[in-house]
Amino acid sequence: MTRLHLFDLDGTLMRGSAAAVEISRQLGVSAEIAELERDFLLRGMAPDEFAVRARELWAELTEDHVAAAFAGAPWLSGIEEVWADIRSRGEYCAVISLSPDFFVQRLLAWGAHAAHGSRWPAVPFLEPVERAGILNASAKVRIADRLCEEFGLIRSDCVAYGDSMSDAEIFASVPLSVAVNADHHVSDLAVLAYRGGDLREPYEWVQSRR
């Protein structure tokens, strides 16, 4: 049986942090992005508004900042090993994240078949953020459906890994869902709730569910 493994990034592949947090740390605007994160998580700020505000904070962003943020992020152990095993089985793995595409797409080098993030202008920024290109929770399901079509699969062939309410819709649309270091809101929606620092552990459980 062929599967498509769908991974969130912030809080899932990256434990206790997010692309925006790591980028902001490089630019010395951690306090400012923390306030935006609170507005997003607790006060209902829309993803496109978050992106527009973050773009203002990151006006001086360079590729060197992005590379340093990626290299220094608190990634789970075993990501590349898991994705290599997925490929060896003839299965597929993809990342779908609300974070900027210029950060998310770096995971292609680790073995993901696809990496989809919100569409941002190229770094260094010369253009504004286009709100229409910023993903939301529903977009994750639409992208998953497109990937299924591309790989010749259907939703029942998918496994979703996530940590937050932005993953709730995709959790509801697939038969196997794994909450990774998530709070109880999402853990209660998932088939499996995992806490830890090694992606190989929940992946082994998924492989046992055949």
Side-chain angles (χ1 to χ4, degrees), residues 20-34 57-61 65 69:
V21 173
E22 298 304 317
I23 291 168
S24 296
R25 181 176 290 118
Q26 296 298 319
L27 292 166
V29 291
S30 294
E32 292 87 345
I33 206 68
L57 291 177
W58 300 345
E60 303 303 318
L61 187 66
H65 290 128

Side-chain angles (χ1 to χ4, degrees), residues 23 26-27 54-55 58-69 100-106 118-129:
I23 291 168
Q26 296 298 319
L27 292 166
R55 160 69 174 81
W58 300 345
E60 303 303 318
L61 187 66
T62 67
E63 284 289 350
D64 286 344
H65 290 128
V66 177
D101 52 2
F102 60 76
F103 192 95
V104 179
Q105 289 172 2
R106 287 175 174 264
S118 292
R119 189 172 68 248
W120 276 60
V123 177
F125 299 138
L126 299 176
E127 303 292 336
V129 168

Side-chain angles (χ1 to χ4, degrees), residues 76-95:
L76 293 188
S77 299
I79 295 173
E80 292 181 80
E81 291 88 340
V82 166
W83 291 354
D85 189 75
I86 288 170
R87 283 179 169 270
S88 74
R89 295 171 183 269
E91 299 181 355
Y92 302 94
C93 54
V95 181

Side-chain angles (χ1 to χ4, degrees), residues 2-8 13 78-97 104-105 107-116 143-144 147-148 150-151 153 157-161 199 203 206-207:
T2 300
R3 280 174 164 164
L4 170 58
H5 300 256
L6 300 163
F7 296 91
D8 173 54
L13 295 176
I79 295 173
E80 292 181 80
E81 291 88 340
V82 166
W83 291 354
D85 189 75
I86 288 170
R87 283 179 169 270
S88 74
R89 295 171 183 269
E91 299 181 355
Y92 302 94
C93 54
V95 181
I96 308 175
S97 171
V104 179
Q105 289 172 2
L107 288 166
L108 292 171
W110 288 11
H113 287 91
H116 292 270
I143 292 169
L147 290 170
C148 282
E150 178 182 345
F151 298 136
L153 303 172
D157 299 317
C158 294
V159 184
Y161 305 74
L199 187 61
Y203 173 69
V206 167
Q207 289 300 86

Side-chain angles (χ1 to χ4, degrees), residues 6-8 12 137 140-141 144 155 158-194:
L6 300 163
F7 296 91
D8 173 54
T12 302
K140 287 191 172 187
V141 178
R155 286 187 185 181
C158 294
V159 184
Y161 305 74
D163 78 302
S164 69
M165 288 305 295
S166 68
D167 301 302
E169 290 189 40
I170 201 164
F171 275 18
S173 70
V174 302
L176 276 182
S177 53
V178 183
V180 180
N181 296 316
D183 64 26
H184 70 278
H185 296 100
V186 184
S187 297
D188 292 347
L189 300 175
V191 178
L192 171 71
Y194 168 76

